[in-house]
Amino acid sequence: MRRILVTSALPYANGPLHFGHILEAVQTDIWARSLRLAGHECIYVCADDTHGTPMMLKAQAEGVTPEELIAGVEAEHRSTYRDFMVEHAQFHSTHSAENREMTEKIYLTLEKAGYIAKRTIRQAYDAQAQMFLPDRYVKGTCPRCAAKDQYGDSCESCGATYTPSELIDAVSVVSGTPPVERDSEHLFFRLDAFEAMLREWTRSGALHPSVANKLDEWFNAGLRDWDISRDAPYFGFEIPGHPGKYFYVWLDAPIGYMGASLALARREGLDFDAWWGAASTAELHHFIGKDILYFHTLFWPAVLTGAGYRRPTQVHAHGFLTVNGQKMSKSRGTFITGRRYLDRLPPEALRYYFAAKLDAGIDDMDLSLDDFVNRFNSDVVGKLVNIASRCAGFIARGGGTLAAQLPEPALYEEFSTQRARIAALYEARDFATAIREIAALADRANQYIDAQKPWNLAKDPARAADVSAVCTQGINLFRVLITYLAPVLPAMAENAGRFLGQPIRHWDDVAAPLLGTTLATYEPLATRLDPKVVATLIEPDADAAAAPAPAPAKAAATKAAIPAAAATPSAAAAEITVDEFARIELRVARVVAAEYVEGADKLLKLTVDVGTEQRTVFAGIRSAYTPEQLVDRHVLVVANLKPRKMRFGLSQGMVLAASGDGTGVFLVAPDSGAVAGMRVQ
């Protein structure tokens, strides 16, 4: 049995949880649950990130103390995570006695070892307000990418880190006047002292190769000493021996993982050093958004090493989140909070959709609301739940007891022996492939039931045993599938366990089928999503009152650019002439081959025969079709479209498809009898 401690990035405590936070927490929770199903000890801890200048600004704006602000936010965060079925062993706060204890202990160890340097710096000062300005009390234009309205420590647009003096056209948030510079003594962590260790660790398998490659850019640019102190006023922990100086939030924030672990250890009587000590044999995994890589893959392992603690086993980064392909917009109501979603829709629908889109890479992810509806309604309601609901009724009418043997034991074996692969896909964080393969098995199960037609068999009383056998097979196939989806759909799996009379506890539970046991009364496990209800998630000004103040780059566990829906098409499109339309060459094509496109959530790569040649076309139909469904199918293509160079290859045409009103994506196809090469008249 492996011992694993897992964390997700700490949400900033100045506002409600949004979809970006939920994405990361769900990803972490699914991963942890899958490892527990494999029999491992896997503990998930997290905390609210509570310190820093933004907290002071938010509290001042609301007329409360920072302590009052973070207490209210913590209650909201806890309830939202809980309702999304995110299972924390400990959810804590960085403004806690445990975190102060760990932060001071680590700092004093680093200071004693010679890793802390004092240096006088020129710091931003508001002459009108007569105060030194913390980084986030200064705003201006990013010196790297020229994004406007950025804070003085890091750019939320490009992720660059810098000092307030490097900002272009900087102004004080307090008075709105340009800051001046004055001398102030600060404390620095000597990051460069750990360069050799970091170069080795970042190439040790602890990071995704693309992340390690990104870090090479920072190594080549040179590691700079890290300013870990801030002048008063500042909400945080005062530095021992340095009155008026406070720990920079990015020092005590990741230590919050340790503070949460310490609180858990003391409450449950666990050995803290077994998780965090330098000699620990446990695993430590961090899930974060790619916007906070610098802090978690350079500063954090260096601080841990310098203070005598173990380094992370792996840091897993994911991309940003958009909705309908667009970024966050409060004015359009697209800053979707977790609570807004929960007030309208079931949490497991979103968990399933996120799982269906997440893999081990750091590419950005789009939540298409149409695809969300179609995917859940098709996969979960139409395929998975349909198996149980169809078979349960026949079993109940036959007395409620499963048959003594399966009519197709080889089919069950085919399903149950996939458990090792499914478990491996979850651990590799390739949730999307796991979901795809589970959905394919669900198709097989439904095909079996459709072929056996128990509803027809039931018309003949003499075939009652056959009905029972077929539906026993179906119930057992369903049991395998819901076991494989238990990390994603925990409540549904628990309810299914009660129906089956057998709780889901381990992947190997499905090694043998359930036979001769009595089922409980079947209760519906899921209902279809209503597209009209889903559409209300992005109504204008939906969450304007609840939307948090701008969070620091580190606070966005995912940068969660959450967008508006695609613009509604104009009621009257611009007219074209017959001659203009005649320039478009529409041809019938036969799909010769189809495959998924690695790194693309929407695309399928098609090889199509247009009569005179074969061409490659990239089509955005992945949400509606699998490659297997497309081979030998006839479609319509725009044959004279100028080839388009994409990062996945050259697309030599366009496949026609229709969509709208939340009903899905549908290929436009010719009538039967058409052959490849025919031109549309």
Side-chain angles (χ1 to χ4, degrees):
M1 180 183 73
R2 292 155 55 191
R3 303 182 68 237
I4 305 161
L5 180 66
V6 58
T7 77
S8 54
L10 312 186
Y12 206 53
N14 69 338
L17 297 175
H18 55 63
F19 264 19
H21 299 117
I22 303 306
L23 167 68
E24 181 172 287
V26 165
Q27 181 188 31
T28 312
D29 184 69
I30 290 172
W31 191 79
R33 287 177 183 271
S34 73
L35 287 164
R36 288 195 287 270
L37 276 174
H40 303 302
E41 180 184 7
C42 189
I43 296 175
Y44 178 12
V45 301
C46 193
D48 267 346
D49 182 3
T50 59
H51 291 155
T53 307
M55 204 61 62
M56 297 170 60
L57 293 172
K58 180 76 170 181
Q60 289 171 6
E62 295 190 4
V64 298
T65 66
E67 290 83 358
E68 290 171 330
L69 175 66
I70 64 177
V73 171
E74 182 180 337
E76 187 275 337
H77 286 185
R78 285 179 179 272
S79 67
T80 301
Y81 279 140
R82 182 186 63 246
D83 292 347
F84 271 106
M85 303 171 194
V86 174
E87 195 172 47
H88 295 119
Q90 177 75 27
F91 187 81
H92 210 47
S93 168
T94 59
H95 194 64
S96 65
E98 294 84 1
N99 204 46
R100 180 191 292 272
E101 177 183 337
M102 291 306 307
T103 301
E104 292 182 353
K105 182 178 181 180
I106 286 174
Y107 168 76
L108 292 172
T109 302
L110 294 173
E111 184 179 51
K112 184 177 180 180
Y115 295 125
I116 303 297
K118 295 180 183 179
R119 190 178 307 157
T120 298
I121 66 169
R122 298 285 287 172
Q123 187 178 353
Y125 185 83
D126 189 321
Q128 182 172 314
Q130 296 187 350
M131 60 180 287
F132 281 106
L133 296 172
D135 294 347
R136 297 188 69 83
Y137 270 52
V138 182
K139 298 186 76 172
T141 299
C142 173
R144 309 291 170 79
C145 72
K148 297 184 181 301
D149 203 33
Q150 298 300 311
Y151 287 105
D153 57 353
S154 60
C155 176
E156 294 181 350
S157 179
C158 71
T161 58
Y162 42 72
T163 64
S165 64
E166 295 177 271
L167 277 177
I168 301 169
D169 298 327
V171 296
S172 165
V173 171
V174 179
S175 66
T177 61
V180 297
E181 290 191 344
R182 290 193 180 177
D183 289 343
S184 178
E185 185 178 78
H186 275 226
L187 302 170
F188 288 79
F189 174 64
R190 294 179 49 216
L191 182 61
D192 63 337
F194 299 90
E195 180 173 349
M197 178 277 293
L198 289 170
R199 283 185 179 272
E200 179 181 355
W201 178 78
T202 57
R203 290 294 180 179
S204 67
L207 307 174
H208 190 277
S210 63
V211 173
N213 292 337
K214 175 65 177 177
L215 294 184
D216 281 344
E217 298 176 17
W218 287 321
F219 283 128
N220 295 335
L223 300 181
R224 297 189 297 179
D225 287 353
W226 180 33
D227 188 347
I228 61 167
S229 62
R230 294 296 184 269
D231 290 294
Y234 197 79
F235 181 57
F237 296 142
E238 192 169 32
I239 301 175
H242 299 275
K245 303 290 183 181
Y246 292 79
F247 289 118
Y248 175 41
V249 62
W250 257 113
L251 180 70
D252 68 64
I255 296 174
Y257 302 137
M258 304 177 80
S261 301
L262 183 59
L264 174 65
R266 287 174 173 169
R267 190 183 78 239
E268 301 293 334
L270 304 176
D271 184 354
F272 174 83
D273 287 335
W275 299 104
W276 289 97
S280 171
T281 58
E283 298 176 38
L284 173 61
H285 294 258
H286 297 307
F287 283 75
I288 63 167
K290 65 182 180 182
D291 53 332
I292 52 177
L293 279 171
Y294 198 92
F295 299 100
H296 279 81
T297 59
L298 294 178
F299 294 146
W300 180 228
V303 166
L304 287 170
T305 301
Y309 292 99
R310 54 89 46 80
R311 291 184 289 275
T313 306
Q314 288 187 310
V315 176
H316 309 295
H318 58 81
F320 301 149
L321 177 68
T322 58
V323 174
N324 290 342
Q326 300 181 36
K327 293 185 178 181
M328 179 186 301
S329 170
K330 292 179 186 176
S331 64
R332 290 190 294 245
T334 54
F335 190 101
I336 308 176
T337 65
R339 184 52 57 187
R340 178 174 178 80
Y341 175 93
L342 290 166
D343 288 343
R344 291 161 173 75
L345 296 161
E348 287 180 303
L350 190 62
R351 287 178 65 103
Y352 183 83
Y353 189 77
F354 281 158
K357 304 277 280 187
L358 281 164
D359 59 26
I362 60 172
D363 290 339
D364 295 347
M365 190 188 105
D366 183 56
L367 191 162
S368 162
L369 294 183
D370 286 347
D371 185 33
F372 167 57
V373 172
N374 296 334
R375 181 93 55 139
F376 184 78
N377 287 350
S378 173
D379 287 5
V380 178
V381 180
K383 295 179 182 178
L384 175 70
V385 173
N386 189 47
I387 300 168
S389 62
R390 288 204 289 181
C391 294
F394 290 112
I395 295 293
R397 275 175 259 167
T401 300
L402 296 173
Q405 60 184 18
L406 296 178
E408 297 284 350
L411 179 60
Y412 182 83
E413 185 76 5
E414 180 185 334
F415 274 53
S416 68
T417 53
Q418 290 298 307
R419 61 187 184 276
R421 172 163 172 78
I422 297 299
L425 287 171
Y426 277 122
E427 179 165 0
R429 304 183 327 285
D430 192 356
F431 301 168
T433 299
I435 295 296
R436 189 163 60 245
E437 295 191 5
I438 295 167
L441 289 174
D443 284 334
R444 291 286 309 281
N446 280 291
Q447 289 164 7
Y448 167 79
I449 296 169
D450 290 341
Q452 298 301 317
K453 296 181 173 54
W455 46 89
N456 285 341
L457 297 175
K459 295 176 183 178
D460 182 357
R463 304 292 300 274
D466 295 332
V467 174
S468 177
V470 168
C471 291
T472 294
Q473 181 87 36
I475 289 293
N476 273 281
L477 298 181
F478 164 77
R479 176 171 170 256
V480 175
L481 295 170
I482 194 62
T483 298
Y484 292 168
L485 286 169
V488 180
L489 307 172
M492 200 177 299
E494 185 176 347
N495 292 335
R498 283 194 288 268
F499 160 64
L500 296 166
Q502 192 75 255
I504 297 168
R505 296 287 183 264
H506 197 283
W507 295 122
D508 288 341
D509 289 347
V510 299
L514 282 180
L515 298 171
T517 62
T518 300
L519 301 179
T521 301
Y522 176 79
E523 300 288 344
L525 295 172
T527 57
R528 296 177 66 83
L529 300 180
D530 184 343
K532 294 180 180 178
V533 175
V534 174
T536 66
L537 288 173
I538 54 173
E539 289 176 342
D541 298 318
D543 278 318
K554 69 171 193 63
T558 302
K559 194 171 178 181
I562 300 181
T568 303
S570 171
E575 293 181 341
I576 63 172
T577 66
V578 171
D579 289 339
E580 288 173 322
F581 179 74
R583 294 178 57 201
I584 303 172
E585 183 181 338
L586 297 178
R587 287 190 178 274
V588 176
R590 181 177 67 87
V591 179
V592 177
E595 60 186 272
Y596 293 107
V597 180
E598 184 177 355
D601 293 329
K602 297 181 179 181
L603 297 179
L604 291 178
K605 180 181 178 181
L606 309 181
T607 302
V608 298
D609 179 0
V610 295
T612 57
E613 61 179 327
Q614 291 188 0
R615 298 185 185 179
T616 297
V617 176
F618 291 93
I621 57 174
R622 179 168 172 169
S623 65
Y625 299 94
T626 65
E628 295 77 15
Q629 293 174 309
L630 297 173
V631 176
D632 285 332
R633 184 167 182 158
H634 284 86
V635 296
L636 297 182
V637 300
V638 180
N640 64 336
L641 189 69
K642 183 178 179 180
R644 179 187 175 195
K645 178 66 175 176
M646 305 176 70
R647 67 186 178 99
F648 310 105
L650 188 67
S651 186
Q652 300 169 296
M654 177 183 291
V655 173
L656 299 189
S659 67
D661 300 325
T663 54
V665 178
F666 302 91
L667 285 170
V668 178
D671 205 347
S672 59
V675 297
M678 284 184 172
R679 180 163 181 170
V680 178
Q681 302 296 318

